Protein backbone atom coordinates (compact mmCIF):
# COMPACT_ATOMS: atom_id res chain seq x y z
CA UNK A 1 0.00 0.00 0.00
CA UNK A 2 1.20 3.53 -0.67
CA UNK A 3 2.45 6.30 1.59
CA UNK A 4 -0.11 9.11 1.81
CA UNK A 5 0.79 12.79 1.90
CA UNK A 6 -1.78 14.94 3.71
CA UNK A 7 -2.85 17.34 0.96
CA UNK A 8 -4.65 20.15 2.77
CA UNK A 9 -1.80 22.70 2.61
CA UNK A 10 1.95 22.84 2.02
CA UNK A 11 4.57 21.17 -0.18
CA UNK A 12 2.48 18.14 -1.09
CA UNK A 13 3.92 17.68 -4.59
CA UNK A 14 7.53 17.94 -3.36
CA UNK A 15 6.98 15.25 -0.70
CA UNK A 16 5.34 12.97 -3.27
CA UNK A 17 8.29 13.52 -5.61
CA UNK A 18 10.82 12.72 -2.85
CA UNK A 19 8.99 9.52 -1.87
CA UNK A 20 8.71 8.50 -5.52
CA UNK A 21 12.41 9.14 -6.15
CA UNK A 22 13.16 6.82 -3.22
CA UNK A 23 11.04 4.06 -4.81
CA UNK A 24 7.81 4.35 -2.81
CA UNK A 25 4.38 4.84 -4.25
CA UNK A 26 2.77 7.96 -2.83
CA UNK A 27 -0.65 9.56 -3.07
CA UNK A 28 -2.45 12.70 -1.95
CA UNK A 29 -4.74 12.30 1.07
CA UNK A 30 -7.75 14.60 1.39
CA UNK A 31 -10.39 12.14 2.63
CA UNK A 32 -10.71 9.47 5.32
CA UNK A 33 -11.16 6.82 2.58
CA UNK A 34 -7.88 7.82 0.94
CA UNK A 35 -6.18 7.70 4.37
CA UNK A 36 -7.55 4.21 4.98
CA UNK A 37 -5.88 3.02 1.77
CA UNK A 38 -2.41 4.07 3.02
CA UNK A 39 0.30 2.26 4.97
CA UNK A 40 1.85 5.46 6.30
CA UNK A 41 1.32 9.21 6.24
CA UNK A 42 3.46 12.33 5.73
CA UNK A 43 2.16 15.60 7.20
CA UNK A 44 3.92 18.48 5.39
CA UNK A 45 4.85 21.90 6.73
CA UNK A 46 2.64 24.92 6.24
CA UNK A 47 0.77 26.70 9.01
CA UNK A 48 -0.16 24.44 11.87
CA UNK A 49 -3.29 26.33 13.03
CA UNK A 50 -4.64 26.37 9.45
CA UNK A 51 -3.87 22.67 8.92
CA UNK A 52 -5.54 21.86 12.24
CA UNK A 53 -8.72 23.69 11.17
CA UNK A 54 -8.67 22.01 7.75
CA UNK A 55 -8.27 18.59 9.41
CA UNK A 56 -11.44 19.27 11.40
CA UNK A 57 -13.33 20.68 8.39
CA UNK A 58 -12.37 17.75 6.16
CA UNK A 59 -13.43 15.24 8.85
CA UNK A 60 -9.85 14.01 9.12
CA UNK A 61 -8.84 14.97 12.68
CA UNK A 62 -10.11 11.79 14.37
CA UNK A 63 -9.09 9.43 11.51
CA UNK A 64 -5.56 10.91 11.56
CA UNK A 65 -5.36 10.59 15.38
CA UNK A 66 -6.32 6.90 15.05
CA UNK A 67 -3.83 6.44 12.21
CA UNK A 68 -0.93 7.86 14.28
CA UNK A 69 -1.64 5.36 17.06
CA UNK A 70 -1.06 2.38 14.77
CA UNK A 71 0.82 3.33 11.57
CA UNK A 72 4.06 5.17 10.69
CA UNK A 73 3.70 8.95 10.40
CA UNK A 74 6.24 11.65 9.51
CA UNK A 75 5.53 15.30 10.30
CA UNK A 76 7.75 18.13 9.09
CA UNK A 77 7.69 21.64 10.56
CA UNK A 78 3.95 22.44 11.01
CA UNK A 79 3.38 18.66 10.74
CA UNK A 80 5.75 18.10 13.69
CA UNK A 81 3.96 20.83 15.69
CA UNK A 82 0.64 19.03 15.17
CA UNK A 83 2.12 15.68 16.27
CA UNK A 84 3.57 17.15 19.50
CA UNK A 85 1.86 16.62 22.83
CA UNK A 86 2.79 20.11 24.05
CA UNK A 87 3.26 23.32 22.03
CA UNK A 88 4.63 26.56 23.45
CA UNK A 89 2.96 29.45 21.59
CA UNK A 90 -0.07 27.38 20.54
CA UNK A 91 -3.09 29.41 19.54
CA UNK A 92 -6.18 28.48 21.57
CA UNK A 93 -8.07 27.55 18.40
CA UNK A 94 -5.39 25.05 17.35
CA UNK A 95 -6.16 21.38 18.00
CA UNK A 96 -3.23 18.98 18.10
CA UNK A 97 -3.09 15.47 16.63
CA UNK A 98 -0.55 14.40 19.27
CA UNK A 99 1.30 11.10 19.31
CA UNK A 100 4.80 12.37 19.99
CA UNK A 101 5.59 13.06 23.67
CA UNK A 102 7.66 16.19 23.04
CA UNK A 103 7.44 19.90 23.73
CA UNK A 104 8.00 22.23 20.76
CA UNK A 105 8.14 25.99 20.64
CA UNK A 106 6.46 27.52 17.58
CA UNK A 107 8.31 30.16 15.51
CA UNK A 108 11.31 29.77 17.83
CA UNK A 109 13.81 31.29 15.39
CA UNK A 110 11.57 34.29 14.53
CA UNK A 111 9.29 35.09 11.60
CA UNK A 112 9.52 34.52 7.85
CA UNK A 113 12.51 36.87 7.41
CA UNK A 114 14.51 34.77 9.89
CA UNK A 115 14.10 31.67 7.76
CA UNK A 116 17.40 30.04 6.77
CA UNK A 117 19.06 27.09 5.10
CA UNK A 118 21.59 25.07 7.12
CA UNK A 119 23.46 21.78 7.30
CA UNK A 120 21.85 19.14 9.49
CA UNK A 121 23.80 16.15 10.76
CA UNK A 122 22.31 12.66 10.67
CA UNK A 123 24.47 9.80 11.98
CA UNK A 124 25.63 8.82 8.50
CA UNK A 125 25.19 11.94 6.38
CA UNK A 126 25.05 15.73 6.51
CA UNK A 127 22.44 17.44 4.35
CA UNK A 128 21.23 20.93 3.59
CA UNK A 129 17.72 21.72 4.83
CA UNK A 130 15.39 24.72 4.95
CA UNK A 131 14.11 26.15 8.24
CA UNK A 132 11.01 28.28 7.58
CA UNK A 133 9.34 29.87 10.62
CA UNK A 134 10.62 26.70 12.20
CA UNK A 135 9.77 25.35 15.64
CA UNK A 136 12.42 24.30 18.11
CA UNK A 137 12.21 21.02 20.01
CA UNK A 138 12.35 22.27 23.60
CA UNK A 139 12.19 18.84 25.25
CA UNK A 140 12.73 15.51 23.42
CA UNK A 141 11.37 13.56 26.43
CA UNK A 142 13.15 10.33 25.62
CA UNK A 143 12.52 10.28 21.85
CA UNK A 144 15.44 9.19 19.65
CA UNK A 145 17.27 12.12 18.09
CA UNK A 146 18.04 11.32 14.44
CA UNK A 147 19.42 14.68 13.28
CA UNK A 148 20.96 17.75 14.86
CA UNK A 149 21.68 21.35 13.89
CA UNK A 150 24.86 21.94 15.88
CA UNK A 151 23.88 20.57 19.31
CA UNK A 152 20.16 21.03 18.85
CA UNK A 153 17.81 18.16 18.01
CA UNK A 154 16.00 18.90 14.73
CA UNK A 155 14.68 15.45 13.77
CA UNK A 156 13.39 12.83 16.16
CA UNK A 157 11.71 9.46 16.23
CA UNK A 158 9.28 7.95 18.75
CA UNK A 159 8.52 4.35 17.74
CA UNK A 160 7.18 4.79 14.18
CA UNK A 161 6.33 8.47 14.52
CA UNK A 162 8.99 10.70 12.94
CA UNK A 163 9.29 14.47 13.06
CA UNK A 164 11.59 17.24 11.83
CA UNK A 165 11.63 20.97 12.39
CA UNK A 166 12.93 21.60 8.85
CA UNK A 167 11.71 21.19 5.27
CA UNK A 168 13.77 18.44 3.59
CA UNK A 169 11.61 18.52 0.45
CA UNK A 170 12.77 22.03 -0.54
CA UNK A 171 16.47 21.18 -0.73
CA UNK A 172 16.10 17.59 -1.93
CA UNK A 173 17.48 16.22 1.36
CA UNK A 174 16.59 12.53 1.30
CA UNK A 175 17.84 10.97 4.54
CA UNK A 176 14.75 11.66 6.67
CA UNK A 177 12.41 10.13 4.07
CA UNK A 178 14.85 7.24 3.56
CA UNK A 179 14.75 6.38 7.29
CA UNK A 180 10.96 6.81 7.32
CA UNK A 181 10.51 4.45 4.34
CA UNK A 182 12.74 1.86 6.10
CA UNK A 183 10.44 2.06 9.13
CA UNK A 184 7.34 1.73 6.90
CA UNK A 185 8.82 -1.34 5.21
CA UNK A 186 9.62 -3.04 8.50
CA UNK A 187 6.30 -2.07 10.17
N1 LIG B 1 5.50 28.32 12.19
C1 LIG B 1 4.56 27.54 11.46
C2 LIG B 1 3.43 27.08 12.37
O1 LIG B 1 3.38 27.35 13.48
C3 LIG B 1 5.21 26.32 10.82
C4 LIG B 1 6.06 26.75 9.67
C5 LIG B 1 6.32 25.70 8.62
O2 LIG B 1 5.70 24.65 8.58
N2 LIG B 1 7.20 26.02 7.72
O3 LIG B 1 2.58 26.39 11.92
Amino acid sequence: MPIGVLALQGDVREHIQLLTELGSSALEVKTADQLASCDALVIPGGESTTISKLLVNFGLMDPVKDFVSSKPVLGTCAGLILLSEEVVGRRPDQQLIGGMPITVERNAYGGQTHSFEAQVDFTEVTESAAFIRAPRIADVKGCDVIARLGDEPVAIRHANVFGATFHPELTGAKELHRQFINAVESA
Side-chain angles (χ1 to χ4, degrees), residues 45-49 77-78 81 106-107 132-133 167:
E47 209 290 316
S48 56
T49 309
C77 206
I81 294 171
R106 285 184 67 203
N107 302 321
I132 303 170
R133 300 186 318 281
H167 286 253

